Amino acid sequence: MESHLLVESVQSTHFWDRRSPALLYGASPIFPLSHILQVHLWQSGYRIFNIDCSIRFNAFQLMDEALRRELPGEEMLNSIMIQRAFTPYQILDLFWTVWRKERRSSNPALYFIFAPCKQFFDGDVQEEEASFLLKKLSSVLSLWNDAGIPYLIVETGSYKSKLFAGAISTFSALTEYQWQLEALPLSSGRQIRRNRPMVLRDMNLQRNRSLPFASVGSSIDSGNSGQLASADR
């Protein structure tokens, strides 16, 4: 399946050594893509822990990928951990709990953090409060970095809140590896929107490298093959 070439590029240690914090954000196919990546990491022997802030974790997507790879799906699901948080305060408490638990560990779990911004931009959270709490979030993630706790933030590409640009900028500053998944312009008005080709951009300009497999149709959501295109920086 061509869509998996995209995952093969991201899971390469040449682009992400897993000991360093990373950020994957952009168009909605990043969420199923991250589940494919997660199965690969589990297969490679990593302990996976999901922090789901927006009901983005999907056990069915993990199982589908396990079946595709002919892996023991039930064994995988029993070993992959997940905890959900539904308010900014629950998220912060959970992040502090992880830091206290893992800061002295010689083999910490690899954390997938799904859509951490969403709860901070909820209508019940005032903008000033959200700004203050996001600074708290960046502070505890900085402590994760100091403690060597590995993580991958998986975040959507846009929110209505004007604070989002600052949040993504902060996540970029905290992480050593960043990728953005973007939809390419449609070449024909007859193309179906859900089959729009995608490009995954390496956002770390200091490395000045492009991913070897750079785009995939957003049909990754439906399991169909995508379209490949080169990524010219």
Side-chain angles (χ1 to χ4, degrees):
M1 186 182 302
E2 288 180 345
S3 62
H4 293 275
L5 295 177
L6 178 61
V7 181
E8 289 171 9
S9 65
V10 178
Q11 65 198 19
S12 167
T13 56
H14 182 63
F15 291 97
W16 180 34
D17 64 9
R18 272 74 114 186
R19 294 170 297 179
S20 302
L23 168 65
L24 173 64
Y25 68 104
S28 60
I30 58 170
F31 294 105
L33 187 154
S34 67
H35 284 68
I36 297 172
L37 175 58
Q38 192 168 137
V39 174
H40 168 79
L41 292 169
W42 177 84
Q43 186 179 14
S44 302
Y46 287 86
R47 293 190 301 114
I48 307 296
F49 195 115
N50 291 277
I51 297 178
D52 187 6
C53 306
S54 184
I55 315 298
R56 292 292 190 173
F57 176 82
N58 190 324
F60 294 104
Q61 290 176 351
L62 291 181
M63 182 62 79
D64 287 346
E65 180 63 12
L67 292 174
R68 192 190 73 83
R69 296 179 182 231
E70 299 183 345
L71 297 174
E74 291 188 6
E75 178 185 341
M76 177 192 67
L77 292 180
N78 286 332
S79 61
I80 291 178
M81 304 298 293
I82 175 175
Q83 188 165 347
R84 290 190 165 101
F86 298 103
T87 71
Y89 295 97
Q90 289 178 359
I91 294 171
L92 288 171
D93 286 345
L94 179 53
F95 277 45
W96 278 112
T97 298
V98 169
W99 177 73
R100 287 191 290 267
K101 172 187 174 183
E102 299 277 28
R103 58 179 171 166
R104 295 188 178 91
S105 174
S106 60
N107 183 32
L110 174 55
Y111 287 84
F112 277 66
I113 305 170
F114 287 108
C117 287
K118 184 178 186 300
Q119 302 302 336
F120 293 85
F121 302 146
D122 185 86
D124 293 333
V125 182
Q126 297 298 313
E127 185 176 289
E128 184 176 351
E129 180 184 17
S131 177
F132 173 78
L133 294 174
L134 283 169
K135 291 177 182 177
K136 292 290 187 182
L137 180 64
S138 66
S139 294
V140 68
L141 279 176
S142 180
L143 291 176
W144 281 32
N145 289 2
D146 293 341
I149 301 171
Y151 60 88
L152 173 66
I153 297 173
V154 187
E155 184 57 271
T156 189
S158 64
Y159 288 94
K160 292 181 179 179
S161 174
K162 65 182 183 182
L163 297 176
F164 178 63
I168 281 292
S169 178
T170 297
F171 291 157
S172 296
L174 286 166
T175 54
E176 294 186 32
Y177 294 83
Q178 305 96 30
W179 306 278
Q180 182 180 15
L181 186 65
E182 296 179 345
L184 294 175
L186 293 176
S187 59
S188 171
R190 292 176 295 178
Q191 285 185 277
I192 301 174
R193 182 178 179 84
R194 66 193 292 248
N195 290 331
R196 288 182 68 174
M198 297 279 170
V199 60
L200 186 68
R201 303 189 186 281
D202 183 350
M203 304 304 289
N204 191 326
L205 299 180
Q206 292 180 348
R207 292 200 309 276
N208 195 28
R209 291 198 296 264
S210 297
L211 293 175
F213 302 102
S215 72
V216 58
S218 59
S219 53
I220 190 172
D221 285 315
S222 59
N224 296 324
S225 295
Q227 301 178 19
L228 292 177
S230 62
D232 297 326
R233 190 174 294 280

